[in-house]
């Protein structure tokens, strides 16, 4: 499928369904059943810093940084509706940010060598051009600027419970590979009566693209949160899976 067609389908999904996702997957959370910024402190002190969020969604992560005295906040998203929601949400709380409605793959007039941090919470995986996007992000950052992003863990899409009957309660079932780890082809997924197009990239694809774009990886995190790991008596398929493998991952990289 053509990349522009993929962007069009995904933009339509987000413009139509933005309200369903208001405030979900935003800092301090990095992802599903995953350690949070409160555990990890990947950003440290952002006071006086310039930050750009790629795929800013409803603006809740921007507000998280505004609450911590960031000097300048920018948000980019492909969806007009998400940008509208983010703008109103920040204004309601007495904050402002500069918003850009564009695909992360595009030239969007963002200043270069300008930001201390560029970050994305469950956004980067939507790109149709991983290396091109990482190169753009590197260009926006100052030297030694930090890029932080989280996404679905690759294994999560490859491994499923073999149980066919009770999807909600798993007793003695096994996790099985139902998709090749090496398969990076785009696939269509039905969601909320609509459709999205994604692909599942190998971890090495992310690491090699970061290296080629001029980053050094400082940390990669693939840790289920303590509450989930220590929970007893919760037999839900999600919790049991999250105890066996990472559902999300997060990278912290520095521009060389
Ligand atoms: C899971 S949401 C991110 C949630 C966000 N962290 C929040 O706090 O709302 C994914 C976002 O990526 C945006 N998106 C999808 N494809 C994109 C692309 N190619 N370029 C820029 N934004 C994109 C969507 O519009 C959506 O807002």
């Amino acid at each position: 499928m053509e990349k522009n067609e993929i962007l069009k389908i995904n933009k339509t999904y987000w413009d139509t369904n933005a309200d369903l996702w208001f405030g979900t997957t935003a800092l301090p959370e990095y992802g599903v059943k995953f350690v949070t910024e409160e555990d990890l402190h990947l950003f440290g002190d952002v006071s006086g810093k310039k930050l750009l969020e790629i795929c800013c969604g409803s603006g809740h992560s921007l507000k998280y940084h505004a609450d911590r005295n960031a000097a300048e906040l920018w948000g980019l998203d492909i969806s007009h509706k998400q940008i509208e929601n983010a703008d109103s949400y920040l204004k309601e709380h007495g904050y402002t940010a500069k918003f850009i409605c564009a695909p992360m793959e595009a030239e969007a007039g963002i200043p270069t060598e300008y930001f201390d941090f560029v970050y994305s919470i469950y956004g980067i995986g939507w790109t149709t051009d991983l290396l091109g996007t990482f190169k753009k992000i590197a260009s926006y950052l100052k030297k030694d600027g930090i890029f932080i992003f989280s996404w679905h863990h690759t294994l999560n899409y490859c491994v499923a419970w073999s149980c066919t009957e009770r999807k909600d309660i798993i007793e003695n079932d096994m996790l099985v590979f139902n998709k090749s780890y090496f398969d990076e082809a785009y696939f269509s997924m039905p969601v909320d009566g609509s459709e999205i197009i994604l692909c599942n990239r190998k971890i090495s694809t992310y690491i090699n693209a970061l290296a080629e774009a001029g980053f050094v990886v400082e940390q990669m995190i693939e840790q289920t949160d303590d509450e989930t790991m220590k929970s007893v008596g919760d037999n839900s398929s999600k919790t049991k899976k999250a105890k066996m493998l990472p559902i999300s991952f997060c990278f912290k990289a520095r521009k060389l």
Side-chain angles (χ1 to χ4, degrees), residues 109-123:
I110 296 173
T112 56
E113 313 273 323
Y114 188 76
F115 293 96
D116 300 290
F117 291 91
V118 178
Y119 68 97
S120 188
I121 314 299
Y122 260 60

Side-chain angles (χ1 to χ4, degrees), residues 7 14 25-26 55 57-58 77-79 82 103-105 121-122 126:
L7 291 179
W14 284 104
T25 35
C55 303
S58 52
D77 201 283
I78 199 172
S79 159
Q82 287 282 54
M104 63 187 126
E105 298 88 337
I121 314 299
Y122 260 60
W126 291 94

